[in-house]
Short mmCIF file of all heavy atoms in Angstrom, two decimals:
data_model
loop_
_atom_site.label_atom_id
_atom_site.label_comp_id
_atom_site.label_asym_id
_atom_site.label_seq_id
_atom_site.Cartn_x
_atom_site.Cartn_y
_atom_site.Cartn_z
N MET V 300 -15.30 -197.50 163.36
CA MET V 300 -15.34 -198.45 162.27
C MET V 300 -16.76 -198.84 161.86
O MET V 300 -17.00 -199.04 160.68
CB MET V 300 -14.55 -199.70 162.63
CG MET V 300 -13.05 -199.59 162.43
SD MET V 300 -12.49 -198.77 160.96
CE MET V 300 -12.68 -200.00 159.73
N PRO V 301 -17.70 -198.94 162.80
CA PRO V 301 -19.05 -199.31 162.37
C PRO V 301 -19.65 -198.31 161.38
O PRO V 301 -20.30 -198.71 160.42
CB PRO V 301 -19.85 -199.35 163.67
CG PRO V 301 -18.84 -199.66 164.72
CD PRO V 301 -17.60 -198.93 164.28
N LEU V 302 -19.41 -197.02 161.60
CA LEU V 302 -19.94 -196.02 160.67
C LEU V 302 -19.29 -196.18 159.30
O LEU V 302 -19.97 -196.13 158.27
CB LEU V 302 -19.71 -194.61 161.21
CG LEU V 302 -20.23 -193.47 160.33
CD1 LEU V 302 -21.71 -193.61 160.06
CD2 LEU V 302 -19.92 -192.13 160.99
N PHE V 303 -17.98 -196.41 159.27
CA PHE V 303 -17.29 -196.63 158.00
C PHE V 303 -17.86 -197.85 157.30
O PHE V 303 -18.14 -197.82 156.10
CB PHE V 303 -15.78 -196.79 158.22
CG PHE V 303 -15.04 -197.05 156.95
CD1 PHE V 303 -14.64 -196.00 156.14
CD2 PHE V 303 -14.75 -198.34 156.55
CE1 PHE V 303 -13.97 -196.23 154.95
CE2 PHE V 303 -14.08 -198.58 155.36
CZ PHE V 303 -13.69 -197.53 154.56
N ALA V 304 -18.03 -198.93 158.04
CA ALA V 304 -18.57 -200.17 157.45
C ALA V 304 -19.97 -199.94 156.91
O ALA V 304 -20.30 -200.44 155.82
CB ALA V 304 -18.56 -201.29 158.48
N ASP V 305 -20.79 -199.19 157.63
CA ASP V 305 -22.15 -198.89 157.15
C ASP V 305 -22.11 -198.11 155.84
O ASP V 305 -22.87 -198.40 154.91
CB ASP V 305 -22.93 -198.09 158.19
CG ASP V 305 -23.35 -198.91 159.38
OD1 ASP V 305 -23.31 -200.15 159.30
OD2 ASP V 305 -23.73 -198.29 160.40
N ARG V 306 -21.23 -197.13 155.76
CA ARG V 306 -21.15 -196.32 154.54
C ARG V 306 -20.56 -197.12 153.38
O ARG V 306 -21.01 -196.98 152.24
CB ARG V 306 -20.36 -195.05 154.82
CG ARG V 306 -21.15 -194.13 155.72
CD ARG V 306 -20.48 -192.83 155.95
NE ARG V 306 -21.34 -191.99 156.78
CZ ARG V 306 -21.00 -190.81 157.20
NH1 ARG V 306 -19.83 -190.30 156.87
NH2 ARG V 306 -21.81 -190.11 157.95
N ALA V 307 -19.58 -197.93 153.67
CA ALA V 307 -19.00 -198.77 152.62
C ALA V 307 -20.05 -199.77 152.11
O ALA V 307 -20.15 -200.02 150.91
CB ALA V 307 -17.77 -199.50 153.13
N ASP V 308 -20.85 -200.30 153.02
CA ASP V 308 -21.91 -201.22 152.63
C ASP V 308 -22.95 -200.52 151.76
O ASP V 308 -23.44 -201.08 150.79
CB ASP V 308 -22.56 -201.81 153.88
CG ASP V 308 -23.56 -202.90 153.55
OD1 ASP V 308 -23.25 -203.75 152.70
OD2 ASP V 308 -24.66 -202.88 154.14
N ALA V 309 -23.26 -199.26 152.10
CA ALA V 309 -24.22 -198.49 151.30
C ALA V 309 -23.71 -198.29 149.88
O ALA V 309 -24.50 -198.22 148.93
CB ALA V 309 -24.50 -197.15 151.97
N LEU V 310 -22.40 -198.19 149.72
CA LEU V 310 -21.82 -198.09 148.37
C LEU V 310 -21.83 -199.43 147.66
O LEU V 310 -22.06 -199.50 146.45
CB LEU V 310 -20.38 -197.59 148.46
CG LEU V 310 -20.17 -196.15 148.90
CD1 LEU V 310 -18.69 -195.89 149.15
CD2 LEU V 310 -20.74 -195.19 147.87
N ALA V 311 -21.57 -200.49 148.39
CA ALA V 311 -21.45 -201.81 147.78
C ALA V 311 -22.79 -202.39 147.34
O ALA V 311 -22.87 -203.08 146.33
CB ALA V 311 -20.77 -202.77 148.76
N ARG V 312 -23.83 -202.11 148.09
CA ARG V 312 -25.14 -202.70 147.79
C ARG V 312 -25.61 -202.44 146.36
O ARG V 312 -25.99 -203.39 145.67
CB ARG V 312 -26.18 -202.21 148.79
CG ARG V 312 -26.69 -203.31 149.68
CD ARG V 312 -27.78 -202.84 150.62
NE ARG V 312 -27.17 -202.63 151.93
CZ ARG V 312 -27.14 -201.48 152.59
NH1 ARG V 312 -27.69 -200.41 152.09
NH2 ARG V 312 -26.57 -201.39 153.75
N PRO V 313 -25.61 -201.20 145.90
CA PRO V 313 -26.10 -200.97 144.54
C PRO V 313 -25.04 -201.21 143.45
O PRO V 313 -25.37 -201.15 142.27
CB PRO V 313 -26.52 -199.50 144.55
CG PRO V 313 -25.63 -198.87 145.56
CD PRO V 313 -25.42 -199.94 146.62
N ALA V 314 -23.81 -201.46 143.84
CA ALA V 314 -22.74 -201.63 142.85
C ALA V 314 -22.94 -202.91 142.06
O ALA V 314 -23.40 -203.93 142.58
CB ALA V 314 -21.38 -201.66 143.55
N ASP V 315 -22.58 -202.84 140.81
CA ASP V 315 -22.63 -204.01 139.94
C ASP V 315 -21.61 -205.04 140.42
O ASP V 315 -20.53 -204.68 140.88
CB ASP V 315 -22.30 -203.59 138.50
CG ASP V 315 -22.54 -204.70 137.52
OD1 ASP V 315 -21.65 -205.57 137.40
OD2 ASP V 315 -23.60 -204.68 136.87
N ILE V 316 -21.92 -206.31 140.32
CA ILE V 316 -21.02 -207.36 140.77
C ILE V 316 -19.66 -207.28 140.07
O ILE V 316 -18.63 -207.60 140.65
CB ILE V 316 -21.66 -208.77 140.60
CG1 ILE V 316 -20.86 -209.83 141.34
CG2 ILE V 316 -21.81 -209.13 139.14
CD1 ILE V 316 -20.96 -209.75 142.82
N ALA V 317 -19.66 -206.80 138.84
CA ALA V 317 -18.40 -206.65 138.10
C ALA V 317 -17.49 -205.60 138.72
O ALA V 317 -16.28 -205.61 138.51
CB ALA V 317 -18.70 -206.29 136.65
N ASP V 318 -18.06 -204.69 139.51
CA ASP V 318 -17.28 -203.63 140.15
C ASP V 318 -16.89 -203.95 141.58
O ASP V 318 -16.19 -203.16 142.23
CB ASP V 318 -18.09 -202.32 140.14
CG ASP V 318 -18.35 -201.83 138.73
OD1 ASP V 318 -17.48 -202.03 137.87
OD2 ASP V 318 -19.43 -201.26 138.50
N HIS V 319 -17.33 -205.08 142.08
CA HIS V 319 -17.11 -205.42 143.50
C HIS V 319 -15.63 -205.47 143.87
O HIS V 319 -15.23 -204.90 144.90
CB HIS V 319 -17.80 -206.73 143.85
CG HIS V 319 -17.80 -207.04 145.30
ND1 HIS V 319 -18.59 -206.37 146.20
CD2 HIS V 319 -17.08 -207.92 146.02
CE1 HIS V 319 -18.35 -206.84 147.41
NE2 HIS V 319 -17.45 -207.78 147.33
N GLN V 320 -14.81 -206.12 143.07
CA GLN V 320 -13.37 -206.21 143.38
C GLN V 320 -12.74 -204.84 143.42
O GLN V 320 -11.98 -204.52 144.33
CB GLN V 320 -12.65 -207.10 142.36
CG GLN V 320 -11.16 -207.24 142.64
CD GLN V 320 -10.87 -207.96 143.95
OE1 GLN V 320 -11.58 -208.88 144.33
NE2 GLN V 320 -9.83 -207.54 144.64
N TRP V 321 -13.06 -203.99 142.45
CA TRP V 321 -12.53 -202.62 142.42
C TRP V 321 -12.96 -201.85 143.67
O TRP V 321 -12.17 -201.17 144.30
CB TRP V 321 -13.01 -201.89 141.16
CG TRP V 321 -12.55 -200.47 141.12
CD1 TRP V 321 -11.36 -200.01 140.65
CD2 TRP V 321 -13.27 -199.33 141.59
NE1 TRP V 321 -11.30 -198.65 140.80
CE2 TRP V 321 -12.46 -198.20 141.38
CE3 TRP V 321 -14.52 -199.16 142.17
CZ2 TRP V 321 -12.85 -196.91 141.72
CZ3 TRP V 321 -14.92 -197.87 142.52
CH2 TRP V 321 -14.09 -196.77 142.29
N LEU V 322 -14.23 -202.00 144.03
CA LEU V 322 -14.75 -201.31 145.22
C LEU V 322 -14.02 -201.75 146.48
O LEU V 322 -13.63 -200.94 147.32
CB LEU V 322 -16.25 -201.54 145.35
CG LEU V 322 -16.94 -200.86 146.53
CD1 LEU V 322 -16.77 -199.35 146.47
CD2 LEU V 322 -18.41 -201.24 146.56
N MET V 323 -13.80 -203.07 146.62
CA MET V 323 -13.08 -203.57 147.80
C MET V 323 -11.65 -203.04 147.83
O MET V 323 -11.13 -202.72 148.90
CB MET V 323 -13.08 -205.10 147.81
CG MET V 323 -14.44 -205.73 148.00
SD MET V 323 -15.22 -205.26 149.57
CE MET V 323 -16.30 -203.95 149.04
N GLU V 324 -11.01 -202.92 146.67
CA GLU V 324 -9.66 -202.35 146.63
C GLU V 324 -9.68 -200.89 147.07
O GLU V 324 -8.78 -200.44 147.77
CB GLU V 324 -9.09 -202.47 145.21
CG GLU V 324 -8.77 -203.90 144.84
CD GLU V 324 -8.46 -204.07 143.37
OE1 GLU V 324 -8.40 -203.06 142.62
OE2 GLU V 324 -8.26 -205.23 142.95
N ARG V 325 -10.70 -200.15 146.69
CA ARG V 325 -10.82 -198.75 147.09
C ARG V 325 -11.07 -198.64 148.59
O ARG V 325 -10.51 -197.77 149.27
CB ARG V 325 -11.95 -198.05 146.32
CG ARG V 325 -11.77 -198.01 144.83
CD ARG V 325 -10.62 -197.19 144.25
NE ARG V 325 -9.55 -196.91 145.15
CZ ARG V 325 -8.22 -197.07 144.93
NH1 ARG V 325 -7.78 -197.45 143.80
NH2 ARG V 325 -7.33 -196.85 145.83
N VAL V 326 -11.92 -199.49 149.13
CA VAL V 326 -12.17 -199.51 150.58
C VAL V 326 -10.87 -199.81 151.32
O VAL V 326 -10.53 -199.13 152.29
CB VAL V 326 -13.27 -200.54 150.94
CG1 VAL V 326 -13.33 -200.78 152.44
CG2 VAL V 326 -14.63 -200.06 150.42
N ASP V 327 -10.13 -200.81 150.84
CA ASP V 327 -8.84 -201.13 151.47
C ASP V 327 -7.88 -199.95 151.40
O ASP V 327 -7.16 -199.68 152.36
CB ASP V 327 -8.20 -202.35 150.78
CG ASP V 327 -8.88 -203.65 151.14
OD1 ASP V 327 -9.68 -203.67 152.10
OD2 ASP V 327 -8.63 -204.65 150.44
N ALA V 328 -7.86 -199.23 150.28
CA ALA V 328 -6.96 -198.08 150.13
C ALA V 328 -7.32 -196.97 151.11
O ALA V 328 -6.42 -196.36 151.70
CB ALA V 328 -7.02 -197.57 148.70
N VAL V 329 -8.60 -196.72 151.30
CA VAL V 329 -9.02 -195.70 152.27
C VAL V 329 -8.59 -196.11 153.68
O VAL V 329 -8.07 -195.30 154.44
CB VAL V 329 -10.55 -195.48 152.21
CG1 VAL V 329 -11.04 -194.64 153.37
CG2 VAL V 329 -10.94 -194.83 150.89
N LEU V 330 -8.81 -197.37 154.02
CA LEU V 330 -8.41 -197.85 155.34
C LEU V 330 -6.90 -197.74 155.54
O LEU V 330 -6.43 -197.28 156.59
CB LEU V 330 -8.87 -199.30 155.54
CG LEU V 330 -10.38 -199.49 155.67
CD1 LEU V 330 -10.72 -200.97 155.60
CD2 LEU V 330 -10.91 -198.85 156.92
N GLU V 331 -6.15 -198.15 154.53
CA GLU V 331 -4.69 -198.10 154.63
C GLU V 331 -4.20 -196.66 154.76
O GLU V 331 -3.33 -196.37 155.58
CB GLU V 331 -4.07 -198.76 153.41
CG GLU V 331 -2.56 -198.91 153.54
CD GLU V 331 -1.98 -199.76 152.42
OE1 GLU V 331 -2.67 -200.65 151.91
OE2 GLU V 331 -0.81 -199.51 152.08
N LYS V 332 -4.75 -195.77 153.97
CA LYS V 332 -4.36 -194.36 154.02
C LYS V 332 -4.58 -193.77 155.41
O LYS V 332 -3.86 -192.88 155.85
CB LYS V 332 -5.14 -193.57 152.98
CG LYS V 332 -4.77 -192.10 152.92
CD LYS V 332 -5.53 -191.39 151.84
CE LYS V 332 -5.14 -189.92 151.83
NZ LYS V 332 -5.88 -189.18 150.79
N ASN V 333 -5.57 -194.27 156.11
CA ASN V 333 -5.91 -193.75 157.42
C ASN V 333 -5.39 -194.62 158.57
O ASN V 333 -5.83 -194.48 159.70
CB ASN V 333 -7.43 -193.57 157.52
CG ASN V 333 -7.89 -192.44 156.65
OD1 ASN V 333 -7.74 -191.28 157.01
ND2 ASN V 333 -8.41 -192.75 155.47
N GLY V 334 -4.46 -195.51 158.23
CA GLY V 334 -3.82 -196.33 159.26
C GLY V 334 -4.72 -197.37 159.89
O GLY V 334 -4.46 -197.81 161.02
N LYS V 335 -5.73 -197.79 159.19
CA LYS V 335 -6.68 -198.75 159.75
C LYS V 335 -6.68 -200.07 159.00
O LYS V 335 -7.54 -200.90 159.20
CB LYS V 335 -8.11 -198.19 159.71
CG LYS V 335 -8.28 -196.91 160.44
CD LYS V 335 -8.13 -197.09 161.92
CE LYS V 335 -8.41 -195.80 162.65
NZ LYS V 335 -8.16 -195.91 164.07
N ARG V 336 -5.71 -200.28 158.11
CA ARG V 336 -5.71 -201.50 157.31
C ARG V 336 -4.94 -202.61 158.01
O ARG V 336 -3.78 -202.86 157.76
CB ARG V 336 -5.10 -201.20 155.93
CG ARG V 336 -5.14 -202.37 154.99
CD ARG V 336 -6.57 -202.69 154.61
NE ARG V 336 -6.59 -203.94 153.89
CZ ARG V 336 -7.24 -205.01 154.31
NH1 ARG V 336 -7.94 -204.96 155.40
NH2 ARG V 336 -7.21 -206.10 153.62
N ASP V 337 -5.62 -203.27 158.91
CA ASP V 337 -5.09 -204.49 159.51
C ASP V 337 -6.27 -205.36 159.90
O ASP V 337 -7.41 -204.92 159.84
CB ASP V 337 -4.16 -204.19 160.69
CG ASP V 337 -4.86 -203.45 161.82
OD1 ASP V 337 -6.03 -203.75 162.12
OD2 ASP V 337 -4.23 -202.58 162.43
N ASP V 338 -6.02 -206.59 160.26
CA ASP V 338 -7.11 -207.52 160.53
C ASP V 338 -7.99 -207.10 161.70
O ASP V 338 -9.15 -207.45 161.76
CB ASP V 338 -6.57 -208.92 160.77
CG ASP V 338 -5.98 -209.53 159.51
OD1 ASP V 338 -6.39 -209.11 158.41
OD2 ASP V 338 -5.11 -210.39 159.62
N GLU V 339 -7.43 -206.34 162.62
CA GLU V 339 -8.20 -205.93 163.80
C GLU V 339 -9.28 -204.91 163.44
O GLU V 339 -10.36 -204.92 164.00
CB GLU V 339 -7.27 -205.33 164.85
CG GLU V 339 -8.00 -204.91 166.11
CD GLU V 339 -7.05 -204.32 167.14
OE1 GLU V 339 -5.84 -204.52 167.03
OE2 GLU V 339 -7.55 -203.64 168.05
N HIS V 340 -8.99 -203.99 162.51
CA HIS V 340 -9.90 -202.89 162.23
C HIS V 340 -10.67 -203.00 160.92
O HIS V 340 -11.62 -202.28 160.71
CB HIS V 340 -9.12 -201.57 162.22
CG HIS V 340 -8.58 -201.21 163.54
ND1 HIS V 340 -7.25 -201.31 163.84
CD2 HIS V 340 -9.17 -200.78 164.68
CE1 HIS V 340 -7.05 -200.94 165.09
NE2 HIS V 340 -8.19 -200.63 165.60
N SER V 341 -10.26 -203.87 160.04
CA SER V 341 -10.90 -203.94 158.73
C SER V 341 -12.27 -204.58 158.81
O SER V 341 -12.42 -205.62 159.45
CB SER V 341 -10.04 -204.76 157.77
OG SER V 341 -8.79 -204.15 157.61
N PRO V 342 -13.26 -203.98 158.14
CA PRO V 342 -14.56 -204.64 158.12
C PRO V 342 -14.49 -205.92 157.30
O PRO V 342 -13.83 -205.92 156.26
CB PRO V 342 -15.48 -203.62 157.46
CG PRO V 342 -14.58 -202.70 156.72
CD PRO V 342 -13.24 -202.75 157.40
N PRO V 343 -15.11 -206.97 157.77
CA PRO V 343 -15.09 -208.21 156.98
C PRO V 343 -15.80 -208.00 155.64
O PRO V 343 -16.75 -207.24 155.55
CB PRO V 343 -15.86 -209.20 157.84
CG PRO V 343 -16.31 -208.50 159.04
CD PRO V 343 -15.85 -207.08 158.99
N TYR V 344 -15.30 -208.66 154.61
CA TYR V 344 -15.89 -208.48 153.28
C TYR V 344 -17.35 -208.89 153.24
O TYR V 344 -18.10 -208.37 152.44
CB TYR V 344 -15.11 -209.26 152.22
CG TYR V 344 -13.83 -208.59 151.83
CD1 TYR V 344 -12.69 -209.32 151.58
CD2 TYR V 344 -13.73 -207.21 151.73
CE1 TYR V 344 -11.51 -208.70 151.21
CE2 TYR V 344 -12.57 -206.59 151.37
CZ TYR V 344 -11.46 -207.34 151.10
OH TYR V 344 -10.29 -206.74 150.75
N ASP V 345 -17.78 -209.79 154.11
CA ASP V 345 -19.18 -210.18 154.06
C ASP V 345 -20.11 -209.04 154.48
O ASP V 345 -21.26 -209.01 154.12
CB ASP V 345 -19.45 -211.45 154.85
CG ASP V 345 -19.18 -211.30 156.34
OD1 ASP V 345 -18.41 -210.40 156.72
OD2 ASP V 345 -19.73 -212.09 157.11
N LEU V 346 -19.58 -208.05 155.23
CA LEU V 346 -20.38 -206.87 155.54
C LEU V 346 -20.58 -205.99 154.31
O LEU V 346 -21.49 -205.19 154.25
CB LEU V 346 -19.70 -206.02 156.63
CG LEU V 346 -19.69 -206.59 158.04
CD1 LEU V 346 -18.95 -205.64 158.96
CD2 LEU V 346 -21.09 -206.83 158.54
N LEU V 347 -19.68 -206.15 153.35
CA LEU V 347 -19.71 -205.31 152.17
C LEU V 347 -20.19 -206.07 150.95
O LEU V 347 -20.10 -205.57 149.84
CB LEU V 347 -18.30 -204.75 151.91
CG LEU V 347 -17.70 -203.96 153.06
CD1 LEU V 347 -16.23 -203.67 152.78
CD2 LEU V 347 -18.46 -202.68 153.30
N ALA V 348 -20.71 -207.25 151.17
CA ALA V 348 -21.13 -208.09 150.05
C ALA V 348 -22.27 -207.45 149.28
O ALA V 348 -23.13 -206.79 149.85
CB ALA V 348 -21.55 -209.46 150.56
N VAL V 349 -22.22 -207.65 148.00
CA VAL V 349 -23.28 -207.10 147.12
C VAL V 349 -24.46 -208.03 147.14
O VAL V 349 -24.36 -209.20 147.16
CB VAL V 349 -22.73 -206.94 145.69
CG1 VAL V 349 -23.82 -206.49 144.75
CG2 VAL V 349 -21.57 -206.01 145.68
#
């Protein structure tokens, strides 16, 4: 998960604030597709803050 969070953060940093919600939905979709979408494994949104 740390590697995923690092890569997701690298995407979020340069993203426009208007795209942040869409980006978080995409991150959630990737996690869910891979069976990692639960509170135990999900990176906190503050790690992905723009």
Side-chain angles (χ1 to χ4, degrees):
M300 278 318 281
L302 180 57
F303 179 84
D305 287 344
R306 290 184 178 177
D308 187 45
L310 291 171
R312 247 183 259 120
D315 189 279
I316 192 72
D318 297 325
H319 188 73
Q320 180 65 36
W321 177 86
L322 181 60
M323 293 299 98
E324 290 169 4
R325 299 294 21 131
V326 167
D327 286 347
V329 169
L330 291 170
E331 188 171 330
K332 182 177 179 181
N333 290 282
K335 302 292 184 185
R336 184 67 189 119
D337 61 39
D338 291 335
E339 181 180 343
H340 294 107
S341 299
Y344 283 142
D345 63 338
L346 289 179
L347 303 170
V349 176

